[in-house]
Structures are given as C-alpha cells and as structure tokens.
C-alpha cells in the first residue's frame, strides 16, 4: 500500500495544482517587489511590474536569479524580512568568492521539513525507522535539514554527522539503523570500511535504505550500491539557496518529485533562456512559492535535467525531474567536446571489472587537451598476465571513446589508492592553465 | 600428480618507489621466505610474481596490507643442463598445444636451476611433462630449498 504524508495535496489534480501555483506566484511577485529592493530593481530593469503576472505562463516575463546575485548582496541584501524574524542561518561555502547566506523564518523551516516529510514518506521512511544522518551538521544545510525533516516524518534520528566511520558502523549496529542519509561517495566508503572490519552491511545490519545526494551520481552507480550494500538507494535533491535537501524519488525510483504547491519548476534552454517542453534536457530553474525570508524568482540552479508532468505510478501528481547527472559548471570541454563526469561514471560502472572509484585528470600537452581516467585494480579483475590487464585498459578506453567520442587514456592504479570521501568527492583534477 | 602444482603469489603494483620494500618487509615480518621473484612491467604498473615457502601466509599478509594479490598455479621444473632442458620442455608442451603464458628461472642454494612456468592448461602440462621424464618439484621442495 502506498502511503502519503498528505494525500489531498500530493494527489491533487494537475489543473488544481496549476491554479494553486498561479495564485501563489501572483502573491509572490507582489511580496518580493514590496520587501526586497534588490528584486524591485531587477523587476524595474526588466520593465516588469507585479501586475503583469496574471497567469502562470507570465513567469517568462520575470528575470532570472543567479547565485552571483546572492554573492553580490552578501550577506543578507536579498532577504525580505528583518533579521529578528529569522530563526536560522545557513552558509554555503564558496569555492570562488564570497559564500552565500540563506536565512529562514520559522515558517520556512516548517515548509522545508514538510517537503522532506512528504519525500521520506514516499520512500516508506517514518515511524519505526532509525535514520542515521551522516551529512555534515553545521553551516551546511544537509545535516540539520534532514534532521528536522526526519523528525517531522516520525523517524528516530541518529545525528552522527559526517566522519568517524568506525563509530558510525558501531552505532549503526547497536541502534539498528534502518536508513542512512549521506553522499553516494560516503556510502561506498562506509561499505568498504565495513567490509574491512568484517561487517556486512547486508547481513549484519538492519540497513534497508540509503538516501544519497549532495553530489551527482549515476543510475549505474545506484545498481552497484544497491547490490553491494543490500539496500534500496534513493536520490535526494535540493540546494542550500532553496533551503537545502528537499525532494527525493518515491519507491518507483522514476524521477524526483518536486512539490508544486511549494516550488515551481521550469526547464530552460541554457543558451536562449527559453522554457523547454517536458522531456527535453535543459537547465533547471526553480521559483520558491512559499519562502518568506529568501524567496527566489526563477533561480538558475545550474543542473541539467529533464522534467515530466505525467503523474507518477505512485499516484502523486506533482512534476518530476529526472536524475541530475551534471551541472553546467561541472562540464568539461576537452578538445571542443563537452564531457560530464557523470557520463564517465555511467560508462565505468557498466564494466563489471571496474571498481567504484575513479579519477579524471585533464591536462594540456603541446596545446592539446588530454584526459586520463584512473581506475583501481580490483581483486575480482586482477590477473597476473600482463595481456589480460592491458586488454582491460583497452576495453575501458574503447567504451569511453564510443560514448564520449574522445580518446581517453586509462590508467590502472592500486586498489584503495584513489581518494575516498566522507562528503562530496572530487572526481576531476583539471591541470590546464587557461 | 596434482601435488606437483606450485602456488605462486602474484600481485599488482604501481611502479612507485618503496613498493618493493613494503612487500618485502610485510613478508619478512610474517616469516615468509622468498625463493624466487620477478616483475613484469608495463608502463605505470607491474605484476610481481613470487615463489615463497608459505604462500597462504604470504597471500593473507599482503592482502591485509591492501595489495591486490592472488595465488596462481604454476609448475616448477628442475633443470640440470639449462639450454638443453629448456628446449625439451618447450618441445613437449608445444607438441600438445599447451601455451606458456610466462616463465622465469632461478638458481637455488644447492645450484639447481628451477624454471617456473605458467601454462594455459596445467593438468595436461603435468601429464605430458611427467611422461617425458621431466622432473617437477612440489611445495615441499620449495620449502626445503
Ligand atoms: Zn512517485
């Protein structure tokens, strides 16, 4: 039987959902125009007034919001409420330039938790589950966001935060953790560490579900993780500017449900900015419909994905976005060819001899881009005949070439020698000086 | 006849300084003696092949130290007169379409030359070499060297 957190809302007919969105969008534009001088200026510069937004389709008239806008208005220049109405700040570390600050009213936190409570219910997580949260707690939204959402959903939270894997495994066994929330990289690391300690996640723990996110991972990686850990692995999506982790797939693992009464999702052509129809890959743009402290209008997240408005087999009518395989920012351009690390992961994980860890090294030699992929020699793939190893390297290189249309050097390295990560893993080293 | 099979230790190693020292010290700490040792190199990596007196111990010690390691079945052939016996061995195996994957030789303390051979069909190789009166050694001989 399919469980819903709020069946009336989650199964609302699509037309009614759209009406609801239209109403909320109209309120939103008036709200930000009134409360955020930054947004007012943006509207004015674009020659659009709140009154111009009469129907849902009019959203096209509104200017996009960029991450850079948040940096430019650091720390709280885009907020729509005075600071004393905030109950929390989160800070996302900026790899370049200033970090971005997100503020939350009490209602913002409640809406965030509600979104996650629906999501957790949709994967069958709730009362009776022990949810071990191995996302970092603190300024990062992952830990605390999941914490409040899981409590709202009725699960028992084990707030381990990231790191100290030995302790994590010990508590996982002693407190019968059933659900683990972490990055896919950490899931792999934990599985490896468990094996080394003589623990089988499959047989020696009660773990049945992994909620994995905060970095892109492929469908092929999911298969690997599910098989090696004996769990169901679900993709979770969200970004700190929108609040934090917000949405997951349901048990059908067929796209991430974006709650339409809270968020309005568009897919646009990254070049022209024009909205794209369902089924076409483009850049994800999200408008927050109910946030108070930091509402965002047409926020360009930078993820490339595909949207569908078809109701899901689970009965939920809200739109879904398919697995996010890469961000516009992660795209590598090698000799003029666009390459996403996710594509490489997909190819590698389809080759049974290849382990779960890899590293992409990009360089420029004699004015020519080169790409090398390091993979680990696993016990299962090892042969003491040189020919066998060299044909494995060739097999991987030709599989990569056929998908990427690019010559790739494949280098086998010792098992365990590539970096393991407890958080977001770094999969690309770009040594090019451009 | 199967008892003539020798368990060779094979491991994958990046060509980095300190790797061989690490292998050697791991084995030394476990009281494993290396009888024969060779490296097949290919660019960034190499395959280390070893005949040791306690292959099971060596395997578990190296595995626990994080190496990708396997036990491979090979033959140890005693050679009195090296050039002559090498061609006899090759002829015998060739006649029965048994391919040699690789081979390496070493000399024991008692001045006996041993040839370690990996073939693609070890059972047939055992049979045809024995019928040709070629002397194969076993793990007991390796321990006694
Ligand atoms: Zn669904």
């Amino acid at each position: 039987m399919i469980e819903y957190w709020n069946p009336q809302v989650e199964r609302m007919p699509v037309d009614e959902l759209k009406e609801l969105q239209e109403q909320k969008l109209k309120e939103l534009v008036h709200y930000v125009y009134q409360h955020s001088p930054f947004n007012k200026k943006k509207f004015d510069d674009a020659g659009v007034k709140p009154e111009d937004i009469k129907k849902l389709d009019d959203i096209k008239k509104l200017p996009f919001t960029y991450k850079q806008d948040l940096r430019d208005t650091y720390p709280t220049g885009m907020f729509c409420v005075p600071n004393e109405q905030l109950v929390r700040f989160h800070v996302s570390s900026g790899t370049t330039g200033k970090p971005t600050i997100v503020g939350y009213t009490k209602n913002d936190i409640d809406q965030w938790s509600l979104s996650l409570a629906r999501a957790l219910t949709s994967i069958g997580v709730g009362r009776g589950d022990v949810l071990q949260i191995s996302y970092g707690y603190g300024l990062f939204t992952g830990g605390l966001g999941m914490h409040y959402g899981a409590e709202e959903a009725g699960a028992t939270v084990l707030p381990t935060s990231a790191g100290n894997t030995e302790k994590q495994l010990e508590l996982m066994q002693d407190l019968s953790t059933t659900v683990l929330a972490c990055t896919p990289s950490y899931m792999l690391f934990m599985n490896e560490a468990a094996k080394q300690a003589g623990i089988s996640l499959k047989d020696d723990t009660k773990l049945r579900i992994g909620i994995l996110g905060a970095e892109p991972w492929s469908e092929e990686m999911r298969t690997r993780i599910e098989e090696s850990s004996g769990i169901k692995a679900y993709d979770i999506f969200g970004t700190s500017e929108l609040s934090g982790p917000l949405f997951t797939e349901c048990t059908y693992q067929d796209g991430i449900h974006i709650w339409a009464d809270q968020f309005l999702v568009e897919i646009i052509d990254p070049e022209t900015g024009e909205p794209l129809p369902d089924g076409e890959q483009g850049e994800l743009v999200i408008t927050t419909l109910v946030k108070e402290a930091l509402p965002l209008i047409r926020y360009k997240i930078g993820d490339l994905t595909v949207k569908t408005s078809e109701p899901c087999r689970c009965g939920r009518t809200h739109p879904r976005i398919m697995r996010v395989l890469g961000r516009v920012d992660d795209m590598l351009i090698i000799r003029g060819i666009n390459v996403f690390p996710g594509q490489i992961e997909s190819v590698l994980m389809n080759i049974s001899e290849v382990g779960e860890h890899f590293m992409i090294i990009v360089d420029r030699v004699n004015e020519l881009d080169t790409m090398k992929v390091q993979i680990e020699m696993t016990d299962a793939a090892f042969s003491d005949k040189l020919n066998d190893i060299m044909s494995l390297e060739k097999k991987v290189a030709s599989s990569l070439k056929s998908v990427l249309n690019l010559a790739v050097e494949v280098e086998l390295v010792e098992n365990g020698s590539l970096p393991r990560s407890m958080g977001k893993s770094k999969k690309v080293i770009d040594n090019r000086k451009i | 006849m199967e008892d003539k099979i020798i368990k060779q230790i094979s491991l994958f190693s990046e060509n980095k300084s300190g790797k061989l020292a690490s292998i050697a010290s791991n084995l030394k700490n476990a009281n494993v003696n290396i009888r024969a040792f060779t490296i097949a190199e290919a660019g960034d990596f190499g395959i280390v092949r070893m005949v040791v007196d306690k292959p099971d111990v060596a395997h578990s010690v190296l595995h626990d130290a994080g190496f990708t390691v396997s036990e491979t079945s090979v033959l140890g052939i005693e050679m009195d007169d090296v050039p002559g016996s090498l061609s006899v061995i090759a002829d015998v195996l060739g006649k029965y379409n048994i391919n040699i994957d690789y081979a390496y030789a070493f000399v024991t303390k008692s001045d006996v030359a041993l040839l370690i051979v990996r073939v693609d069909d070890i059972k047939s190789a055992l049979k045809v070499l024995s019928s040709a009166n070629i002397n194969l050694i076993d793990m007991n001989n390796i321990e006694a060297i």
Side-chain angles (χ1 to χ4, degrees):
Chain A
M1 201 194 82
I2 294 168
E3 300 247 9
Y4 303 92
W5 182 256
N6 184 338
Q8 277 81 14
V9 176
E10 291 169 52
R11 310 182 60 173
M12 188 180 278
V14 175
D15 293 347
E16 284 177 41
L17 265 181
K18 289 208 162 136
E19 267 172 52
L20 186 65
Q21 286 192 312
E22 195 172 280
Q23 186 53 40
K24 289 191 175 184
L25 181 66
K26 283 193 260 184
E27 287 167 20
L28 175 76
V29 288
H30 285 281
Y31 177 75
V32 296
Y33 196 81
Q34 218 174 358
H35 293 94
S36 156
F38 180 86
N39 271 303
K40 178 178 183 301
K41 184 169 182 311
K42 268 199 127 168
F43 278 40
D44 291 344
D45 289 349
V48 57
K49 292 259 167 299
E51 303 78 63
D52 298 336
I53 308 303
K54 295 187 182 73
K55 49 190 200 319
L56 209 48
D57 204 34
D58 290 332
I59 193 165
K60 281 189 298 196
K61 298 175 183 167
L62 296 169
F64 293 113
T65 305
Y66 301 87
K67 192 168 182 129
Q68 191 58 40
D69 293 335
L70 285 156
R71 294 202 185 102
D72 291 345
T73 56
Y74 178 90
T76 59
M78 278 176 71
F79 288 19
C80 290
V81 300
N83 279 7
E84 60 266 26
Q85 284 185 35
L86 302 176
V87 298
R88 197 193 299 171
F89 288 119
H90 276 292
V91 181
S92 84
S93 56
T95 39
T96 50
K98 281 213 151 61
T100 51
I101 310 286
V102 182
Y104 305 78
T105 64
K106 176 72 173 66
N107 190 45
D108 289 339
I109 298 280
D110 291 346
Q111 290 287 340
W112 183 10
S113 305
L114 170 68
S115 174
L116 272 176
R118 287 184 194 167
L120 290 170
T121 307
S122 82
I123 54 170
V125 171
R127 202 179 158 84
D129 278 303
V130 175
L131 202 164
Q132 182 166 338
I133 299 174
S134 306
Y135 289 124
Y137 277 67
L139 294 176
F140 174 55
T141 52
L144 279 168
M146 184 52 97
H147 186 108
Y148 277 62
E151 284 188 352
E152 176 72 13
T156 310
V157 171
L158 177 57
T160 48
S161 193
N164 200 350
T165 307
E166 213 175 300
K167 189 91 190 163
Q168 301 249 10
L169 286 167
E170 190 185 324
L171 291 171
M172 181 181 287
Q173 288 185 292
D174 294 349
L175 296 174
S176 303
T177 297
T178 54
V179 185
L180 178 66
C182 62
T183 61
S185 304
Y186 194 51
M187 186 73 230
L188 290 172
F189 182 84
M190 189 100 82
N191 195 26
E192 223 171 33
K195 259 189 214 152
Q196 271 160 19
I199 303 164
S200 154
L201 289 187
K202 205 183 278 190
D203 303 323
D204 304 328
T205 72
K206 292 274 188 298
L207 197 63
R208 61 183 189 94
I209 285 175
I211 302 174
L212 312 181
E215 64 180 5
W217 55 305
S218 62
E219 199 54 44
E220 289 76 11
M221 182 66 92
R222 177 190 340 245
T223 309
R224 291 279 185 109
I225 289 173
E226 291 191 335
E227 280 170 6
S228 62
S229 313
I231 58 168
K232 289 275 273 175
Y234 294 104
D235 201 4
I236 183 165
F237 177 76
T239 177
S240 61
E241 298 81 49
L242 294 176
S243 280
L246 284 158
F247 317 108
T248 66
E249 307 165 302
C250 67
T251 45
Y252 288 95
Q253 296 179 323
D254 191 17
I256 291 161
H257 289 272
I258 309 285
W259 310 121
D261 55 321
Q262 296 180 314
F263 297 90
L264 198 159
V265 52
E266 297 172 88
I267 303 292
I268 59 151
D269 183 329
E271 309 276 313
T272 65
E274 286 301 309
L276 291 172
D278 276 14
E280 277 190 41
Q281 179 173 300
E283 193 179 340
L284 180 63
V285 170
I286 290 186
T287 299
T288 67
L289 293 176
V290 292
K291 278 184 78 184
E292 293 173 344
L294 182 59
L296 294 172
I297 305 256
R298 304 192 87 197
Y299 183 62
K300 284 185 88 165
I301 295 176
D303 291 304
L304 292 174
T305 182
V306 171
K307 171 170 79 89
T308 175
S309 305
E310 281 293 306
C312 182
R313 276 173 287 165
C314 68
R316 291 177 179 83
T317 48
H318 297 235
R320 284 169 288 153
I321 56 168
M322 296 302 131
R323 174 173 288 275
V324 173
L325 246 194
R327 302 170 57 82
V328 180
D329 297 348
D330 294 338
M331 191 176 76
L332 295 162
I333 303 176
I334 316 283
R335 277 176 254 156
I337 296 172
N338 299 344
V339 177
F340 286 96
Q343 286 177 292
I344 293 174
E345 182 181 295
S346 293
V347 172
L348 295 178
M349 294 308 117
N350 259 330
I351 303 172
S352 62
E353 295 95 325
V354 178
E356 279 79 24
H357 299 273
F358 64 94
M359 183 63 83
I360 301 161
I361 298 164
V362 182
D363 215 327
R364 179 162 288 176
V365 181
N366 299 329
E367 303 296 304
L368 198 66
D369 297 333
T370 61
M371 186 161 75
K372 177 157 86 176
V373 174
Q374 292 180 319
I375 53 175
E376 292 185 344
M377 172 53 80
T378 61
D379 285 339
F382 178 55
S383 156
D384 82 333
K385 286 158 53 181
L386 277 183
N387 270 351
D388 292 348
I389 299 186
M390 285 156 101
S391 42
L392 173 59
E393 284 184 339
K394 272 193 207 123
K395 179 180 171 184
V396 175
S398 70
S399 307
L400 286 169
K401 169 137 204 206
S402 69
V403 171
L404 307 176
N405 213 2
L406 194 72
V408 180
E409 185 195 341
V410 173
E411 185 185 352
L412 274 159
V413 298
E414 282 173 26
N415 204 5
S417 65
L418 294 176
R420 268 47 175 170
S421 168
M422 303 210 192
K424 300 184 192 192
S425 66
K426 190 170 160 57
K427 295 204 170 96
V428 180
I429 298 172
D430 196 338
N431 292 321
R432 291 176 294 185
K433 310 247 180 316
I434 299 172
Chain B
M1 221 190 299
E2 307 261 307
D3 64 349
K4 293 290 180 191
I5 288 175
I6 289 175
K7 286 189 201 162
Q8 175 197 260
I9 296 296
S10 310
L11 67 84
F12 181 88
S13 171
E14 286 169 47
N15 286 345
K16 277 187 189 158
S17 60
K19 284 290 170 191
L20 293 181
S22 156
I23 295 166
S25 72
N26 272 297
L27 294 179
K28 186 168 171 248
N29 293 340
N31 268 326
V32 174
N33 294 299
I34 302 172
R35 301 301 189 209
F37 184 99
T38 179
I39 306 173
E41 266 185 83
D44 299 317
F45 68 87
I47 297 168
V48 176
R49 304 179 183 128
M50 287 177 286
V51 175
V52 300
D53 58 350
K54 293 187 277 286
D56 295 342
V57 177
H59 182 271
S60 74
V61 161
L62 293 170
H63 182 265
D64 291 349
F67 285 100
T68 299
V69 55
S70 68
E71 283 183 48
T72 314
S73 297
V74 295
L75 297 174
I77 303 171
E78 210 176 280
M79 302 189 293
D80 312 315
D81 164 2
V82 176
S85 51
L86 194 55
S87 72
V88 171
I89 294 158
D91 285 349
V92 170
L93 294 175
K95 204 167 115 190
Y96 293 94
N97 282 326
I98 298 166
N99 293 309
I100 297 177
D101 292 325
Y102 55 77
Y104 55 100
F106 68 103
V107 178
T108 67
K109 274 184 282 186
S110 49
D111 279 343
V112 178
L114 285 178
L115 185 70
I116 302 293
V117 189
R118 176 172 171 173
V119 291
D120 60 356
D121 182 353
I122 199 163
K123 279 190 179 153
S124 306
L126 274 170
K127 207 156 58 184
V128 301
L129 290 170
S130 303
S131 336
N133 288 320
I134 289 165
N135 200 16
L136 295 167
I137 59 155
D138 57 27
M139 280 313 298
N140 292 329
N141 301 127
I142 293 288
E143 278 176 52
I145 292 171

